[in-house]
Amino acid sequence: MWKTFTRKLKAFVPYFFVMIVLGSLSYILVYQASFLPNGYKIISQQNNELTIKLFNLIGKEKSIQTISLGKDDAWKVEQIEYDVKRQNDSLWMIFSFVSISATLIVMYVRNGMRVWKAIFQSNLIFAILIPLVSLKSAWHSIQSLISR
């Protein structure tokens, strides 16, 4: 029993390190390199004025928008900051989960599992859908607060 456990552990360790590297690369991609497809990034914030950078579908800068809000709308600034943070977290989760699921698919296929069964076993569908709901909600909230 101990031999089978150590054998399985030795087989899993390289994939585990690959998953850690993929999660770290996703973090660097979103938070450090600001790869935000269809996303928003707060460039500067003064009292009730925000400067936001908008990105297109492929993550390139589309435009920079300055939003001036009244004293009564200070809550909107905080809400936009929260939604931008939630957007970044959701994008990081999508990039990490999809890359980890792809690694699991490769691992399963190498062990002899059929491709479609490996896709379902790796939970790729949930890896995309669960963070996508939060991401879509954050985008909608930011868009509605900016357009007012």
Side-chain angles (χ1 to χ4, degrees), residues 7-20:
R7 188 185 64 202
K8 287 183 179 182
L9 185 64
K10 286 180 182 178
F12 181 73
V13 167
Y15 292 107
F16 180 72
F17 285 122
V18 167
M19 290 178 199
I20 289 175

Side-chain angles (χ1 to χ4, degrees), residues 57-105:
L57 186 61
I58 58 173
K60 298 227 179 201
E61 180 183 332
K62 184 166 71 172
S63 65
I64 296 177
Q65 188 174 3
T66 302
I67 303 161
S68 297
L69 302 168
K71 291 182 181 180
D72 296 334
D73 293 333
W75 66 271
K76 287 184 181 181
V77 173
E78 293 174 7
Q79 185 65 36
I80 290 172
E81 287 176 341
Y82 172 76
D83 288 332
V84 167
K85 182 185 178 320
R86 195 172 64 158
Q87 164 211 281
N88 290 345
D89 293 344
S90 297
L91 281 171
W92 174 75
M93 284 192 299
I94 285 175
F95 294 153
S96 296
F97 293 169
V98 167
S99 59
I100 289 170
S101 291
T103 303
L104 288 173
I105 290 169

